[in-house]
Amino acid sequence: MAIEFNTIDDFDIEGKTILVRVDINAPVDPNSGVILDDTRMKLHSETLKELSKKGAKVVVLAHQSRPGKKDFTTLEQHNKVLSRNLRIDVKYIDSLFSHEAKKAIKSLKNHEILLLENVRFFSEESINKPAYEQSKTILPQKLAPLADIFINDAFAAAHRSQPSLVGFTPIIPSAAGRVMEKELKVIQNAIDKVQKPCVFLLGGMKADDSIDVMENVLKSGTADYVLTTGLVANIILLASGVNIGKPSKNFIKDKDYCYLVKKSKKLLKKWESKIVYPKDVAVENENKERLDVPISDIPDFPIFDIGVESIKEYAKIIRSAKTIFANGPAGVFENPKFAMGTEDILNAIASSKGFSIIGGGHIAAATVSMGFENDVNHVSSGGGACINLLAGNKLAAVEALENSAKIFKNQKK
């Protein structure tokens, strides 16, 4: 992939005030407020350490959850965990552009890092608009005059077009951070230079995104096989004429995914030899037990995993692949009774000689919790952003960085 945006390497940053957007959104215990996982903070540490070591005055923008959720909270705990990971005493102020926040930014010395409050406390952050319109919102207008450069390192949120992600790019020189840069290079290069046979494993609950990916990679000829699991598999099974049982049918209906069944019928008609769906599934019976059944005889119990025979078939296809993209778990892996599909498929990916990319979100969490993270080539930090790239969609934050590079092409500092 040709780099069409600036990176940290394009700027002399010593003594400069740099706004850095990261994604350190983390699972938080609703009772104690304690952060349960600091994976994303460790990822962004590389960018923040480099900027600090090079003498920048670093101002960090980040979010935690969204309004209405139990873990929508301040970044006070994040500041403590970030300080521990960086081994730097990160400053923190519980506001974004108050008089105190501005004063704290102006008083920063070279090498110091300041974390501002949760950007989603500000209502405009929840609105998606083009970068130019976002540049006129309050957050960029208040903070841009205090900064020399904006760096976006939040790949996991790169598919969103919100003020803190795209609003600074039209008004100050901007660049990608190290996480953003690496994610885009690895994923795009794998797509552009794909080695055959190439297998896509699509599962989880985001069926609309996954079926868009399926259509894109089959139409482009990128995929030799698309293996389906999770809700995606249930939709494909239903589209192929399989009776998946009332609970699973109703779940698809309640999610307003009936249109995806119609779309899947068209995909199956065109690419049936390349779309692989389970030959058996695991349901939860009335005793809360796992029951593996063939797809010809699915009872009226919810489907929670792919079956044992399907796992064997999928593993065989995966081990023969030279490129593997996996997005979404095979089932309800949080329940040990239904973790088999996800664990065995991840084991097949880890033991394969092919180049493998795990596409963020729940499948990434499963990869880490099951101990396979060191056996795959790349675990993406962003499920939504990764799957949008695989679907052939432009990421709003990346487009904003590309446009900024054009606007400020003669103003690199």
Side-chain angles (χ1 to χ4, degrees), residues 11-81:
F11 295 95
D12 175 11
I13 60 176
E14 185 177 1
K16 302 294 193 305
T17 299
I18 300 182
L19 287 172
V20 187
R21 177 60 158 100
V22 297
D23 189 336
I24 52 174
N25 189 35
V28 173
D29 185 296
N31 298 314
S32 65
V34 172
I35 289 169
L36 303 174
D37 180 75
D38 63 350
T39 302
R40 285 184 171 175
M41 294 194 214
K42 288 175 181 173
L43 283 173
H44 290 293
S45 291
E46 181 185 354
T47 297
L48 297 176
K49 274 183 182 177
E50 180 179 351
L51 294 173
S52 174
K53 283 182 179 178
K54 288 183 175 178
K57 303 169 186 176
V58 185
V59 182
V60 182
L61 296 168
H63 74 272
Q64 170 61 36
S65 191
R66 59 173 63 94
K69 293 213 167 190
K70 289 182 179 179
D71 58 351
F72 184 54
T73 184
T74 73
L75 299 185
E76 186 175 1
Q77 280 289 329
H78 296 66
N79 180 66
K80 293 174 183 176
V81 178

Side-chain angles (χ1 to χ4, degrees), residues 116-224:
L116 300 183
E117 188 53 280
N118 187 344
V119 293
R120 289 186 178 170
F121 279 5
F122 186 58
S123 60
E124 284 185 316
E125 186 66 19
S126 63
I127 302 168
N128 280 283
K129 289 181 181 178
Y132 180 69
E133 289 183 44
Q134 297 289 30
S135 70
K136 298 176 182 178
T137 58
I138 294 174
L139 182 68
Q141 287 294 317
K142 292 284 187 180
L143 295 184
L146 305 176
D148 300 295
I149 301 163
F150 171 70
I151 290 178
N152 193 343
D153 206 32
F155 173 77
H159 54 304
R160 306 190 186 281
S161 189
Q162 296 167 336
S164 70
L165 293 159
V166 303
F168 296 98
T169 57
I171 49 181
I172 55 174
S174 305
R178 296 306 185 197
V179 172
M180 179 78 79
E181 183 184 0
K182 180 184 177 183
E183 290 273 14
L184 293 170
K185 279 183 178 179
V186 171
I187 297 169
Q188 196 62 54
N189 283 345
I191 296 169
D192 293 343
K193 300 173 183 178
V194 66
Q195 288 189 310
K196 301 283 193 165
C198 174
V199 171
F200 277 74
L201 186 75
L202 301 175
M205 299 298 288
K206 293 182 179 178
D208 47 353
D209 290 338
S210 291
I211 288 172
D212 282 346
V213 171
M214 186 186 302
E215 183 177 29
N216 179 60
V217 298
L218 289 171
K219 190 182 289 185
S220 66
T222 303
D224 293 289

Side-chain angles (χ1 to χ4, degrees), residues 351-369:
S351 59
S352 167
K353 294 179 181 177
F355 183 87
S356 54
I357 291 180
I358 302 295
H362 286 93
I363 187 72
T367 304
V368 174
S369 67

Side-chain angles (χ1 to χ4, degrees), residues 278-315:
K279 57 177 67 173
D280 61 343
V281 295
V283 299
E284 184 178 61
N285 67 16
E286 66 270 21
N287 298 318
K288 303 293 182 183
E289 296 169 334
R290 179 186 177 110
L291 178 66
D292 286 67
V293 295
I295 60 171
S296 59
D297 193 25
I298 300 174
D300 283 331
F301 297 128
I303 299 171
F304 280 176
D305 198 6
I306 60 173
V308 174
E309 293 305 313
S310 301
I311 292 169
K312 290 177 185 176
E313 181 187 13
Y314 284 22

